[in-house]
Amino acid sequence: MPPWSLISPASRGIGFALARRVLQTTNGPVVATARKDLGTVKKELLEGLNVDEARLTVMEIDVLNESSIANVAAACKNKFPLNSHQLQFAFVVPGLLFPEKSPAQIDAEDALLTFRTNTIGPMLMLKHFFPFLPKKNTRQTQNDDRESFKGLPAISTVAVMSARVGSITDNKLGGWYSYRASKAAVNQVVKTFDNHLRSMSGDNAMAVTLHPGTVKTDLSKEFWGSVKKEKLFDRDFVAGRLVDVVKNVGVDGRGRCWDWDGKEVSP
């Protein structure tokens, strides 16, 4: 079945770079999402790329609003009928950080917003988009239609953004209570979702989480000064590495967290 890709959100930061990377390295349709200014986002995503702009559709999703997710999923069902298309490559990458350095800095509303953005938002994306993934009995067509699958992972893969600080065994510094906890939680959500895919899709679909490293985006701007120069990455560099990691992990790496360099992040 013909493949398509999803990047959400794609209006800035790593998501923006991922959408451009997928457009450059694959041949199929790409759905990118943003909360607002869809026309501007589409123009910026296509700027300087030698690709058919008809391949890119930008739709409105706010991960804090489940109805917006459901609406886009419904629109995608019309655009990519479930019986004739499959979601082959998906990046779900919303992120929010309040860097609490001590327990006294924890704010209940900020913590709740962090979980709604970093954990519940991706969980709702999985809820509404898992029907687009192939089933066990779906005939895989990569060998029959190599051009459509060019640049895509051999296995339909959903990749959700996590972070190394979500690792409990790696936590030796403390702090960042809400962010750490939300990323640990999203690792569990994706592991549980991958277990579902084992039953529903067998080896035709899988899910992983990703750690991008420290990237020069608005999310990490406050901490650039404390990061070694060689460990502070450009978003385009990271996007390329993450795309390659997802393509290369393979079914043996399913349900786990992988960093930008292809190394596993311990739970």
Side-chain angles (χ1 to χ4, degrees), residues 147-170:
E147 195 61 25
S148 293
F149 282 87
K150 179 182 177 181
L152 295 169
I155 302 166
S156 292
T157 305
V158 178
V160 179
M161 196 63 73
S162 184
R164 191 179 303 279
V165 296
S167 167
I168 295 173
T169 56
D170 189 62

Side-chain angles (χ1 to χ4, degrees), residues 217-262:
T217 65
D218 290 343
L219 181 75
S220 64
K221 194 169 186 177
E222 183 180 341
F223 317 107
W224 293 356
S226 61
V227 179
K228 294 180 180 179
K229 186 177 180 180
E230 65 272 18
K231 292 294 186 180
L232 183 59
F233 303 133
D234 177 81
R235 66 182 183 179
D236 293 328
F237 167 79
V238 167
R241 296 303 295 261
L242 293 181
V243 166
D244 288 343
V245 167
V246 173
K247 287 166 56 180
N248 294 330
V249 160
V251 71
D252 291 339
R254 66 186 306 161
R256 292 145 70 184
C257 183
W258 300 92
D259 74 6
W260 61 273
D261 202 25

Side-chain angles (χ1 to χ4, degrees), residues 13 40 53 55 65 113 123 132 143-144 153 161 173 186 188 196 212 215 235:
T40 299
E53 67 178 51
R55 289 176 52 208
N65 182 346
L113 183 58
M123 186 159 54
F132 295 96
N143 291 331
D144 301 331
M161 196 63 73
L173 295 176
V186 86
Q188 181 69 286
H196 172 77
V215 187
R235 66 182 183 179

